[in-house]
Amino acid sequence: MKVLFASAEVYPLAKVGGLGDVAGSLPRALRSLGHDVRIVMPKYGTVSPPAKDLGTFAVGIGGADHEAKLTLSSLDGVPVYLVDFSPLFDRPKVYEYPDDGQRFAFFGRAVLDMLPASGFWPDVLHCNDWHTALAPAFLRESPPADERYRRIRCVLTIHNLQHQGLFAKDLFEWTGLPPAAWNPEGVEFYGQLNFLKAGIVYADRVNTVSPTYSKEIQTPEYGYGLDGLLRSRASKLSGILNGIDYKVWNPAKDSHLAQKYSKTSLEKKAKNKAALQKEAGLAAESKIPLLGMVSRVTEQKGFDILIPAIPDLLNLGVQLVLLGTGEKAYEEPLGRFANAQKGFVAYLKYDETLAHRIYAGSDFFLMPSKFEPCGLGQEISLRYGSVPIVRGTGGLVDTVIDVTADPRNGNGFAFSDFRASALLDAVGRAVAFYRAGRGWKRLQQRAMAQDLSWGASASRYADLYEQAARGTGP
Ligand code: ADP
Ligand code: GLC
């Protein structure tokens, strides 16, 4: 299959969260299965790999032709097309600009308009999240004249249904989509342009990043207003669990660690804990359970139940190290608690290498998410033998088995109710298990033995591309 993989984030060129990880690793896994997968992303100000000049092309949007440059780079053998249009993309951050609607409408159009300049005509265009979800609407409603566009099929992966890309009607007019697309069966959503809805309506296949989340989003609780539409499109909707990049996340070869280790030399992990305690200025006690957290600091990640639980959590005699950045409304109380409470350290920033040291240095990894399409944090922590404590939702259900409920197969601790007391109860159980000592090492080894590589899931994506190309069932 020839696949063009379109993403706003691609690790290590640009990453905000898990989307970047997936875009940086799934295409390579698919190439190793023999598929010709290539990536396309915007060329942000921070992205400057060596790249071959492929000339210019015209992006037809806003009633004009805008000249953009196309360059070709490569990531570990995966060709990466960079759409270079400095007025919209030559900026330090990926998102959070007032003109994000225009920026990603432009990118969605550019993904199609660049094909003649690239010389690559994919069988499948694989879009990811709202940032690229207008492309299928452009392809079906206002395709360029070239016949070759007609043969392209679209897959949309929803990494997060909460972020839909909602904008005022003027942006719809700017896109140049035909007026007929402005209706509830098209791209309109309660008087606004909804990018993600456009992708769901126009893509041939839609998937989410875990089987459980693909079911949850068909309910009002998790559907963010799109559950009805998703139920009506259930026949083209499926769920494929994310893998993690075993080259980036491997405790046996991780150069960011104080001490490399594997499941057969687990005793060496202790050095990473000691190093993390020292770095964070925590008491250097090997027996105190250390809980790590690496997370965007947003409502999704469960800070509404974590923050009120912090004093009681620390009373259980644990240490807590958090690395994360996000909403001020959560960062502010976290910063205050970190100053006031012994045993709690909060790094309110983005730091790749510190993330590695936390995954390796913790005994437990905390992820009390309100919702979680897949979650890579718990997958990485399993690989590092840091036992996850999670709220059982979305991809966390599909990856973490509670050891109290299933002592033979359990690899972590899970709770259901989205309440501080349920979180505390799960941490209490985890800490008791750790202190009792019996079975602790086996639990860590079981966590580390789990296959979280892309292998099986990459094959499922290949099947999905086949279904999209052949128009067969999910
Ligand atoms: P999401 O995509 O919803 O943010 P995931 O668990 O799927 O959640 O992926 C998060 C990714 O981002 C992981 O690779 C995690 O290590 C990384 N990450 C999140 N916050 C930070 C941070 N402050 N510093 C470094 N890495 C981070
Ligand atoms: C999203 C989700 C996360 C998922 C990631 C990669 O950001 O919040 O659960 O793992 O995308 O698919």
Side-chain angles (χ1 to χ4, degrees):
M1 298 291 285
K2 287 194 289 177
V3 179
L4 185 62
F5 190 98
S7 178
E9 302 175 30
V10 181
Y11 178 82
L13 301 175
K15 167 173 158 179
V16 176
L19 171 61
D21 290 293
V22 171
S25 53
L26 171 59
R28 197 176 71 234
L30 283 157
R31 280 185 81 86
S32 68
L33 295 177
H35 302 288
D36 185 359
V37 182
R38 307 186 188 187
I39 296 171
V40 58
M41 69 179 288
K43 186 184 179 304
Y44 305 110
T46 45
V47 171
S48 57
K52 190 172 137 201
D53 190 354
L54 297 182
T56 60
F57 66 103
V59 182
I61 197 163
D65 277 341
H66 306 269
E67 190 178 271
K69 279 189 278 182
L70 188 67
T71 57
L72 177 62
S73 182
S74 142
L75 266 184
D76 240 333
V78 184
V80 181
Y81 295 104
L82 298 165
V83 171
D84 187 350
F85 186 69
S86 47
L88 293 179
F89 301 124
D90 189 7
R91 303 184 190 176
K93 288 188 302 179
V94 175
Y95 317 116
E96 291 179 357
Y97 294 102
D99 58 351
D100 277 354
Q102 258 190 319
R103 295 171 74 227
F104 291 106
F106 185 96
F107 183 56
R109 184 76 236 181
V111 161
L112 300 179
D113 291 346
M114 63 166 252
L115 296 185
S118 74
F120 181 65
W121 290 90
D123 303 306
V124 173
L125 171 62
H126 185 166
C127 301
N128 292 276
D129 274 354
W130 74 265
H131 330 103
T132 47
L134 269 196
F138 287 131
L139 184 66
R140 297 292 165 240
E141 294 286 5
S142 51
D146 194 317
E147 274 293 313
R148 286 173 288 187
Y149 283 99
R150 304 253 158 83
R151 291 198 287 271
I152 300 174
R153 295 291 170 266
C154 294
V155 168
L156 170 73
T157 298
I158 301 172
H159 297 260
N160 197 323
L161 191 69
Q162 188 182 31
H163 305 296
Q164 300 181 359
L166 286 172
F167 299 94
K169 193 179 178 192
D170 346 347
L171 187 67
F172 170 75
E173 279 147 15
W174 189 76
T175 63
L177 282 166
W182 187 259
N183 76 71
E185 292 298 305
V187 303
E188 188 253 356
F189 183 72
Y190 299 103
Q192 289 192 293
L193 167 62
N194 185 325
F195 279 51
L196 195 66
K197 179 177 177 185
I200 296 168
V201 168
Y202 289 100
D204 299 277
R205 284 289 174 280
V206 178
N207 81 299
T208 66
V209 288
S210 69
T212 296
Y213 191 63
S214 74
K215 303 213 167 59
E216 287 174 345
I217 58 173
Q218 298 179 49
T219 67
E221 187 187 354
Y222 292 97
Y224 284 96
L226 290 178
D227 47 294
L229 174 70
L230 289 160
R231 280 195 301 278
S232 75
R233 308 295 152 117
S235 64
K236 68 172 184 183
L237 175 66
S238 60
I240 302 178
L241 193 70
N242 283 332
I244 51 171
D245 190 337
Y246 271 27
K247 273 174 123 172
V248 175
W249 304 110
N250 180 359
K253 292 200 174 144
D254 192 331
S255 56
H256 302 304
L257 308 189
Q259 171 70 57
K260 301 183 176 71
Y261 62 99
S262 69
K263 67 175 186 297
T264 51
S265 60
L266 245 181
E267 64 291 346
K268 292 187 184 162
K269 184 171 158 68
K271 267 204 179 165
N272 293 299
K273 179 172 176 180
L276 181 60
Q277 285 173 321
K278 186 161 177 228
E279 175 176 1
L282 290 166
E285 294 275 352
S286 65
K287 290 208 168 68
I288 299 183
L290 199 167
L291 276 59
M293 209 173 161
V294 180
S295 173
R296 287 183 295 113
V297 177
T298 61
E299 182 200 16
Q300 176 190 345
K301 301 298 176 177
F303 286 93
D304 288 313
I305 59 170
L306 176 72
I307 292 171
I310 288 176
D312 289 339
L313 211 135
L314 296 170
N315 279 338
L316 294 170
V318 305
Q319 295 173 336
L320 176 61
V321 177
L322 162 77
L323 167 63
T325 172
E327 289 166 27
K328 289 282 158 286
Y330 299 120
E331 285 194 0
E332 195 268 324
L334 286 167
R336 228 176 333 112
F337 269 134
N339 284 329
Q341 303 263 351
K342 221 169 119 253
F344 175 40
V345 177
Y347 294 99
L348 299 174
K349 60 173 179 176
Y350 186 91
D351 185 333
E352 283 285 339
T353 58
L354 177 56
H356 284 250
R357 297 195 294 277
I358 293 177
Y359 286 116
S362 309
D363 299 302
F364 294 101
F365 189 79
L366 198 55
M367 214 157 155
S369 304
K370 185 164 193 196
F371 71 94
E372 198 59 74
C374 177
L376 300 176
Q378 85 284 9
E379 295 193 0
I380 299 168
S381 78
L382 284 164
R383 178 125 166 96
Y384 280 70
S386 302
V387 174
I389 305 173
V390 305
R391 173 159 179 263
T393 180
L396 297 169
V397 172
D398 297 334
T399 48
V400 178
I401 303 168
D402 187 277
V403 77
T404 314
D406 186 349
R408 275 169 165 272
N409 302 304
N411 59 5
F413 295 85
F415 62 96
S416 304
D417 290 351
F418 190 67
R419 281 192 288 119
S421 56
L423 162 63
L424 278 169
D425 177 67
V427 174
R429 278 192 292 125
V431 167
F433 191 97
Y434 174 87
R435 292 211 171 105
R438 267 204 349 206
W440 172 248
K441 188 173 168 198
R442 243 176 301 133
L443 173 58
Q444 283 182 303
Q445 285 173 329
R446 219 160 37 234
M448 293 180 84
Q450 201 163 326
D451 182 7
L452 298 156
S453 68
W454 270 110
S457 292
S459 301
R460 291 195 181 102
Y461 272 100
D463 291 344
L464 193 67
Y465 297 153
E466 288 281 344
Q467 291 162 12
R470 294 186 203 291
T472 51

